[in-house]
Amino acid sequence: IVGLPNMPEMLAQESHVTCYDLCCPNCYHDYNVSRHLDLHIGGTASCVSCRRAYDMNNLGIVSRGNGGRSLFRYYISYSHPTQTLTINNN
């Protein structure tokens, strides 16, 4: 999931592109099953299996349902001259 959050992160002047995994981290960790998330207007994603919702405007934390792991966030770099977006997981 790649996009701009609705508001900047704390102490930031402007929003920066963020990237999250499309797989529910709690279903994957608990059951070793890859469950895709449903995306919703307003910057949330939800899992139909565990019924958790994740707030992508707030670092991917669980915003509804049982607590648990936040969404896995990837590192992003953007090169304006070449218009290249690079996504890394380390």
Side-chain angles (χ1 to χ4, degrees):
I1 305 168
V2 179
L4 282 171
N6 289 338
M7 59 187 146
E9 291 182 20
M10 190 180 304
L11 303 177
Q13 296 297 321
E14 58 187 39
S15 292
H16 297 282
V17 176
T18 57
C19 181
Y20 296 102
D21 201 348
L22 187 57
C23 174
C24 176
N26 292 287
C27 288
Y28 186 77
H29 180 265
D30 295 344
Y31 308 112
N32 202 25
V33 175
S34 180
R35 300 277 187 223
H36 290 275
L37 299 171
D38 294 329
L39 302 177
H40 305 285
I41 294 173
T44 61
S46 63
C47 177
V48 297
S49 180
C50 68
R51 307 258 188 245
R52 286 179 177 91
Y54 300 93
D55 185 353
M56 293 179 290
N57 294 305
N58 196 10
L59 302 175
I61 64 169
V62 177
S63 60
R64 188 182 72 234
N66 295 334
R69 298 173 179 272
S70 298
L71 291 177
F72 183 79
R73 186 170 175 179
Y74 292 92
Y75 297 99
I76 293 179
S77 62
Y78 177 72
S79 172
H80 182 68
T82 60
Q83 296 185 346
T84 304
L85 180 69
T86 305
I87 301 171
N88 298 308
N89 67 348
N90 53 4

